[in-house]
Amino acid sequence: MKLPADKNERTKILLLIGIGVAAIGYGVYMFGLSPLLAKRKATQARIAELEDLLWKGRKDIDMVPQYLKQNGEVLDQILQVSEVKRQILRPNLGNYLLVAADIIGHNADVLDLNIDSINETSAMNRTGAPNASADTDGPRFKPYTVNVTLTCGLGDLVRLLAALETENPYLCITRLGVIGRSDSPERHAISFDVQWPIWEDNAHPMRLAAERLSDKEKR
């Protein structure tokens, strides 16, 4: 294109051309280059995110053997406490009171103490929870409590409670009442509550044992 001879006209045309080139450049950037750059940035961010997830996934995979070992150790401890040491109270033919009374009676006999009575504190303690689900994601326990009454001296009482708690560290004395007797000052009317943990679902330890056996066989 031939520019006009007049300087002012030529300047105007050159200015218009410059403006046009700038406008075209701006349009190319806004509608062409900018979206491409934004898309590239988003792609890079997504790639970085996926690489981070992949790294975390690999770390988790690497930790699986350790997790399995720890889980196995926990299961062994639970089964040892529940099934071997019987420190999680288990019923005899669905009856917890028989087992609780036998434990308390044995310790009392060793100390030559006579137990007056052993009674459940709630009728609902007679069996496991009727609505306990077999699909729990871990051990589920609830308390089972009996009330014990006897007449003895404070020294004998301390020895009896110490024997019970030493035999089973999961057992707990939750209530204690001592009433003096005017006719026999060295002997007192004693009432105390003994509480054990019991399974909500008595089939749960069997499932844990089966799970543990399966883990060992896979190895």
Side-chain angles (χ1 to χ4, degrees), residues 19-67:
I19 293 173
V21 170
I24 293 171
Y26 179 78
V28 170
Y29 173 78
M30 289 298 298
F31 300 104
L33 185 59
S34 181
L36 290 176
L37 292 175
K39 184 176 181 180
R40 179 184 178 186
K41 184 177 181 180
T43 300
Q44 290 174 336
R46 180 57 177 164
I47 290 173
E49 181 182 352
L50 292 174
E51 287 177 342
D52 183 61
L53 290 173
L54 182 60
W55 177 82
K56 291 179 179 178
R58 287 172 178 167
K59 291 286 289 184
D60 288 341
I61 291 173
D62 292 340
M63 292 295 291
V64 165
Q66 181 176 341
Y67 292 150

Side-chain angles (χ1 to χ4, degrees), residues 19 24 29 70 81 95 99 129-130 152 174-175 186 190 195:
I19 293 173
I24 293 171
Y29 173 78
Q70 292 175 346
V81 168
N95 192 317
V99 182
C152 68
T174 59
R175 190 190 65 82
E186 73 281 359
I190 308 294
Q195 188 174 94

Side-chain angles (χ1 to χ4, degrees), residues 4 39 45 49 133 150 169 216:
K39 184 176 181 180
E49 181 182 352
S133 171
L150 73 159
K216 292 179 178 179

Side-chain angles (χ1 to χ4, degrees), residues 97 100-101 103-105 108 113-121 145-152 157 160-161 164 171-178 189-196:
L97 182 58
I103 293 171
I104 295 168
L113 297 175
N114 293 319
I115 300 296
D116 294 332
S117 67
I118 301 175
N119 298 296
E120 292 177 326
T121 61
T145 309
V146 298
N147 175 255
V148 182
T149 62
L150 73 159
T151 302
C152 68
L157 172 64
L160 175 59
L161 299 185
L164 289 170
L171 170 152
C172 182
I173 307 302
T174 59
R175 190 190 65 82
L176 174 62
V178 179
I190 308 294
S191 174
F192 63 89
D193 288 350
V194 187
Q195 188 174 94
W196 288 264

